[in-house]
Amino acid sequence: MRSTTYLTAAACTAAVPAVTGLSPATAAPAAPAKPLAEDTADFNGDGFADLLIGASYETGDDAATTAHAGALTVLRGSKTGITTTGAKTLTQNTVGIPSASENEDHFGSAIAAIDTDKNGKPEVYVGGNGEDGYTGRVWNLATAPATGLTGTGATRFGLTHLGGAAGASTFGYRFEG
């Protein structure tokens, strides 16, 4: 059974000295802790586990239109551990990801790395429970050797695609299993 761990900004700060390129003074905001979702897998095929972090309360460059739009960040693994070198952040505004970042989308509220097509490379599932007025969506993002996680070819689905009811359901809020 797979479980998702939720970290707080305070917990991330405590772990920062082990992460290359960050310092406790710059790693976490002083604001109250917001939940983060995380998962690990080798997203770029280099043989090292990478860390995937969903930050559903992340605000984009335009705070008036992207407050709590959310983001997903990949920290690369290396022979010495997790590093910020080569870190990649994706949002709904990343090329190839269907939709666009908007207020309260909460992209990254849940994440899971699973090889659903059994090709040896994990696909990344990202929840955005606030999408479309809290109807919610889940995105399927591909991974590729050398480049890792990408928006190219991404797809999305909602509860109605699975036979569920329409309306506010916060689909994509959490993943279990």
Side-chain angles (χ1 to χ4, degrees), residues 2 8 16 25 27 39 48 59 61 82 85 89 95 98 125 128 138 145-146 160-161 167 170-171 173 175-176:
R2 176 182 223 67
T8 63
V16 165
D39 204 348
F48 300 104
T59 295
D61 292 336
I82 299 295
T85 301
T89 298
V95 173
Y125 289 86
V138 173
T160 57
H161 294 99
T170 67
F171 185 71
Y173 180 65
F175 299 156
E176 295 288 331

Side-chain angles (χ1 to χ4, degrees), residues 41-59:
D42 183 7
F43 300 113
N44 59 0
D46 65 0
F48 300 104
D50 304 311
L51 178 63
L52 183 65
I53 304 167
S56 65
Y57 283 83
E58 184 71 24
T59 295

Side-chain angles (χ1 to χ4, degrees), residues 4-66:
T4 300
T5 303
Y6 296 94
L7 303 173
T8 63
C12 290
T13 302
V16 165
V19 177
T20 305
L22 293 180
S23 69
T26 61
K34 301 288 186 192
L36 302 173
E38 59 85 20
D39 204 348
T40 59
D42 183 7
F43 300 113
N44 59 0
D46 65 0
F48 300 104
D50 304 311
L51 178 63
L52 183 65
I53 304 167
S56 65
Y57 283 83
E58 184 71 24
T59 295
D61 292 336
D62 182 359
T65 61
T66 62

